[in-house]
Amino acid sequence: MTIGIIVAMEKELNLILPLLNGHNKEMRNNTTFHTGTVNGNLIAVMQCGIGKVNAAVGATTLIDAFNPNLVINTGVAAGAGDDVAVMDIVIADRVAHHDFWCIGEEWGQIPGCPRFFDTEALDIDLSDAHIKKGLVASGDMFITNKEQIDSIRSHYPDVMAVDMESAAIAQVCNMRGVPFICMRVISDTPWCSHDNSRQYENFWEDAPRHSFDLVHRLLNCI
């Protein structure tokens, strides 16, 4: 099968590329893709850029270029739940927009789309205490403080992580009928720290490569 992986930043891309066997770089539709194999499956990895517009364009380009059987979005996110900490991994069971509202619709629901985008179930051991499962919410802003987290929680009380791309990718996959998985490593926890910019920078210094090993484990199970 063909699996697409989308990340937003070069730092995230550099943690994914070592997973590929026979790594090649190729251009499709003026976009750079990194291809290789894992467990006999063709893997196409791309860096879409930060934010929901970049994410939507990237997801569309990936789907048009490779017609994947599955799209995985991975990278980092801010923790939003009381029981998540830096270096935990959150696997989304649902994804939502936290910064969208249209009159006549529920908060986060884009007309013609579900409010929550469901993800594919994972056939993988989730018994590790540092692996959480729950709602990931996306918006076009870097969340820096507790007040912003509280605002998001007012609409999504059970949110566990917030990022800037997942909901847009999930929406494109929903519209195109492509199964979608989202997994994020927690890089900072703005709900409990008012200096999370330093927390975020320290994450990149301290984050071991095994933080992204769950992606490798997943790819070897498919």
Side-chain angles (χ1 to χ4, degrees), residues 62-136:
L62 171 66
I63 291 170
D64 287 345
F66 288 92
N67 191 28
N69 304 100
L70 174 69
V71 169
I72 300 172
N73 174 227
T74 191
V76 302
D82 290 334
D83 60 345
V84 295
V86 174
M87 298 300 296
D88 282 351
I89 298 171
V90 174
I91 298 174
D93 58 7
R94 297 164 298 143
V95 180
H97 296 278
H98 70 67
D99 64 346
F100 182 90
W101 180 74
C102 179
I103 190 169
E105 302 288 349
E106 290 186 85
W107 189 274
Q109 182 165 7
I110 294 174
C113 294
R115 186 183 185 214
F116 297 100
F117 298 99
D118 293 329
T119 61
E120 288 294 293
L122 295 181
D123 184 19
I124 193 168
D125 181 14
L126 300 179
S127 59
D128 188 322
H130 293 288
I131 299 176
K132 320 289 184 178
K133 193 171 184 180
L135 173 64
V136 174

Side-chain angles (χ1 to χ4, degrees), residues 124-126 128 131 213-222:
I124 193 168
D125 181 14
L126 300 179
D128 188 322
I131 299 176
D213 277 356
L214 186 61
V215 178
H216 200 197
R217 286 168 53 196
L218 171 63
L219 293 175
N220 279 309
C221 289
I222 296 175

Side-chain angles (χ1 to χ4, degrees), residues 14-206:
N14 290 337
L15 291 172
I16 293 294
L17 294 183
L19 306 182
L20 302 179
N21 298 312
H23 175 205
N24 290 299
K25 186 187 294 187
E26 58 185 88
M27 294 291 293
R28 298 278 191 99
N29 299 329
N30 296 315
T31 301
T32 300
F33 288 94
H34 300 265
T35 59
T37 61
V38 176
N39 195 30
N41 296 308
L42 172 64
I43 312 297
V45 185
M46 71 172 304
Q47 177 189 343
C48 67
I50 295 172
K52 293 197 293 184
V53 172
N54 284 329
V57 171
T60 302
T61 303
L62 171 66
I63 291 170
D64 287 345
F66 288 92
N67 191 28
N69 304 100
L70 174 69
V71 169
I72 300 172
N73 174 227
T74 191
V76 302
D82 290 334
D83 60 345
V84 295
V86 174
M87 298 300 296
D88 282 351
I89 298 171
V90 174
I91 298 174
D93 58 7
R94 297 164 298 143
V95 180
H97 296 278
H98 70 67
D99 64 346
F100 182 90
W101 180 74
C102 179
I103 190 169
E105 302 288 349
E106 290 186 85
W107 189 274
Q109 182 165 7
I110 294 174
C113 294
R115 186 183 185 214
F116 297 100
F117 298 99
D118 293 329
T119 61
E120 288 294 293
L122 295 181
D123 184 19
I124 193 168
D125 181 14
L126 300 179
S127 59
D128 188 322
H130 293 288
I131 299 176
K132 320 289 184 178
K133 193 171 184 180
L135 173 64
V136 174
S138 305
D140 277 319
M141 59 188 73
F142 187 86
I143 303 301
T144 62
N145 57 61
K146 183 178 185 298
E147 289 73 22
Q148 290 173 302
I149 291 293
D150 287 344
S151 177
I152 296 169
R153 283 175 163 179
S154 71
H155 300 290
Y156 300 106
D158 59 342
V159 63
M160 296 194 72
V162 292
D163 65 27
M164 300 175 68
E165 296 85 26
S166 295
I169 298 170
Q171 182 178 339
V172 170
C173 289
N174 177 268
M175 295 170 71
R176 299 293 290 272
V178 179
F180 171 72
I181 290 172
C182 170
M183 54 180 69
R184 293 275 180 159
V185 181
I186 300 302
S187 59
D188 56 298
T189 52
W191 58 271
C192 67
S193 171
H194 283 274
D195 190 20
N196 79 302
S197 59
R198 172 169 292 194
Q199 199 179 37
Y200 176 81
E201 290 302 324
N202 288 345
F203 168 86
W204 291 109
E205 295 175 7
D206 301 338

